[in-house]
Amino acid sequence: MAPARASKRKRMLALFLALAVAACTTDFEKQYADAEKWRQDAAASGYEWLETEGLLKEASEQEALGNTDAALELIGKARLQAEMAVRQAEHEAQAWRTRVVR
Amino acid sequence: MLERVYRGVCLPATALAVTLLSAAALAGPEEDRLAFVNYYQSRFPDIAFDDFANGIYAIDADARNQWLEIEEFPPYEFAIEQGEALWRQAFDNGKTYSDCFEEPLVEIRAAHPRFDVTRGKVVTLEVAINDCRTAHGDEPYAYDASEMVELTAYLAYVARGGKIDVPIPEDQPGALAAYEDGKRFYYSKRGQLNFACADCHVTSVGLRVRADRLSASLGQPTHFPVYRSKLGGMITLQQRFAGCIRDVRAKPFDLQSPEYRNLEFFLSYMSNGLTINGPGARK
């Protein structure tokens, strides 16, 4: 087989595999990963809210029980909390100065 | 026309306001402390400066009467006795806690928190106790362990009457940075309820939250550790921080994390000059 043709086949195979993996990633996994990324960002800024991690844990438990709708609802709440916490951190980076007793 | 007025008047005014606010936020520690003291004394002109060391009991007369009754048989006495016994107990190598501190016993509490230039961090009393333990081959205590709180209760007790005196030397930029970090934390809103420490303990000081009144931050560090009736046990100042953080529905930090140590450093500096009167008793 000519080397150029073999290389093209390998690329096609890699693309096919990538698409297959993407197709197999469930809605739950995608949304969980997205919410978890936001939670980690909130934690890194020091502004993570109290319940966010627990909501994600509960979502995993619901998914394991086959309750995907309930799991997705919990992930939605966690995602919203985490994003709000990140926005809070961004806002407070300057806003705290206005509250200093003077 | 309006746009011209905005550009001509409002923009410079806004810029000036931001500059003034930034300047206030960047004021030095001593300017901050004086403004802090002045704020509380203006809010409560009948309260003498040193009475702020009594926390909410300086503000709430009914609660003060109950507290004075409680102080007749202080619930923290057992912790002091236990702490003294632990303090006197020698490590396996024969050394004791006293060997770890340069200060006389009665001054150890007042010497903390302090900024350690060599290590580049704020060292609280609890950290110093654990440093001592590990230096002599013992395991450190958990920062909420009863032994840790008992040791600090004893050190607070023997230090009673001393003054809070946290230095921030001008030639220690690390100390100033730690102070600024604590200050930023104190004034930053966090959690699902979007509250800053200052929202309760500055803006709303003296107002009720359910059945309790909110205490002034001036004087808060003087009386810790405290016996909390509702918990039936002693807690450190940083355990109280964690409680507040949880109350505003934010995820608490680890005890003795840089965030809490710097906050303790800032708050202690704000209370400079007040009398140490720990351990205390609270609801």
Side-chain angles (χ1 to χ4, degrees):
Chain A
M1 195 187 305
R5 207 164 169 191
S7 172
K8 191 176 176 186
R9 277 196 181 173
K10 277 183 190 168
R11 280 204 303 272
M12 291 294 285
L13 186 61
L15 179 65
F16 174 76
L17 282 172
L19 287 171
V21 168
C24 290
T25 305
T26 62
D27 214 22
F28 170 83
E29 286 166 338
K30 276 187 275 188
Q31 292 192 35
Y32 186 97
D34 179 48
E36 173 61 12
K37 172 75 173 57
W38 278 100
R39 189 198 66 76
Q40 286 177 11
D41 289 348
S45 67
Y47 279 77
E48 185 179 353
W49 290 5
L50 183 64
E51 291 178 341
T52 314
E53 196 172 15
L55 286 168
L56 286 172
K57 190 174 171 226
E58 208 182 326
S60 291
E61 289 165 2
Q62 288 296 325
E63 176 67 3
L65 293 170
N67 303 327
T68 300
D69 288 347
L72 290 176
E73 193 178 332
L74 289 163
I75 288 176
K77 282 184 187 172
R79 161 75 163 73
L80 179 64
Q81 282 201 4
E83 185 178 349
M84 295 284 278
V86 169
R87 302 287 172 236
Q88 188 179 45
E90 289 167 356
H91 182 260
E92 289 303 306
Q94 291 302 322
W96 70 271
R97 296 178 191 280
T98 63
R99 302 182 198 109
V100 175
V101 173
R102 53 189 179 275
Chain B
M1 175 66 187
L2 277 176
E3 194 182 343
R4 217 177 302 151
V5 169
Y6 181 78
R7 281 189 185 153
V9 178
C10 297
L11 276 180
T14 307
L16 179 65
V18 168
T19 306
L20 289 174
L21 284 172
S22 299
L26 295 172
E30 197 52 17
E31 289 91 335
D32 286 343
R33 192 187 69 79
L34 292 172
F36 208 68
V37 171
N38 186 48
Y39 173 82
Y40 288 113
Q41 290 197 311
S42 302
R43 284 287 293 264
F44 305 102
D46 296 334
I47 297 177
F49 172 70
D50 211 43
D51 207 18
F52 281 100
N54 292 319
I56 193 56
Y57 304 129
I59 293 169
D60 188 335
D62 288 342
R64 185 185 186 103
N65 289 333
Q66 292 173 30
W67 168 62
L68 290 172
E69 294 278 335
I70 289 170
E71 283 287 326
E72 297 213 0
F73 298 98
Y76 49 75
E77 261 184 349
F78 184 67
I80 296 171
E81 285 170 17
Q82 289 288 102
E84 182 175 9
L86 288 166
W87 184 264
R88 293 183 189 284
Q89 204 173 309
F91 298 113
D92 287 345
N93 64 5
K95 300 280 187 183
T96 64
Y97 285 107
S98 295
D99 294 312
C100 296
F101 295 89
E102 293 171 1
E103 305 83 6
L105 177 64
V106 297
E107 292 174 17
I108 292 172
R109 161 66 185 89
H112 297 83
R114 63 182 171 77
F115 187 78
D116 185 325
V117 180
T118 313
R119 297 157 79 187
K121 70 173 195 177
V122 170
V123 173
T124 61
L125 193 54
E126 289 83 357
V127 167
I129 285 169
N130 265 352
D131 286 348
C132 184
R133 293 181 61 76
T134 52
H136 292 298
D138 240 328
E139 288 294 312
Y141 287 131
Y143 286 116
D144 58 355
S146 57
E147 293 91 341
M148 175 61 83
V149 191
E150 287 159 1
L151 280 164
T152 60
Y154 172 61
L155 291 173
Y157 179 70
V158 295
R160 276 185 174 184
K163 301 286 183 189
I164 300 275
D165 182 20
V166 175
I168 302 179
E170 283 182 10
D171 61 348
Q172 290 183 12
L176 183 61
Y179 167 87
E180 288 294 338
D181 191 60
K183 176 178 163 182
R184 181 184 54 75
F185 190 101
Y186 182 80
Y187 287 108
S188 295
K189 289 178 185 283
R190 61 187 67 245
Q192 199 168 358
L193 300 189
N194 200 36
F195 265 56
C197 306
D199 286 333
C200 283
H201 298 291
V202 174
T203 313
S204 305
V205 60
L207 301 181
R208 283 193 186 280
V209 174
R210 296 186 179 173
D212 297 318
R213 288 192 189 278
L214 292 160
S215 63
S217 281
L218 178 62
Q220 280 173 337
T222 65
H223 43 271
F224 275 83
V226 300
Y227 180 90
R228 290 211 73 186
S229 301
K230 79 170 190 178
L231 301 174
M234 304 287 296
I235 62 162
T236 63
L237 180 61
Q238 294 201 8
Q239 284 176 280
R240 184 55 262 181
F241 290 166
C244 282
I245 298 296
R246 199 175 293 112
D247 286 346
V248 301
R249 308 193 73 73
K251 186 175 178 182
F253 296 86
D254 291 336
L255 298 176
Q256 302 299 331
S257 61
E259 288 83 359
Y260 286 169
R261 278 185 286 111
N262 293 343
L263 177 61
E264 183 173 336
F265 192 55
F266 165 75
L267 274 180
S268 298
Y269 187 89
M270 290 294 102
S271 288
N272 269 354
L274 285 174
T275 303
I276 294 166
N277 55 353
R282 294 293 181 274
K283 281 186 186 173

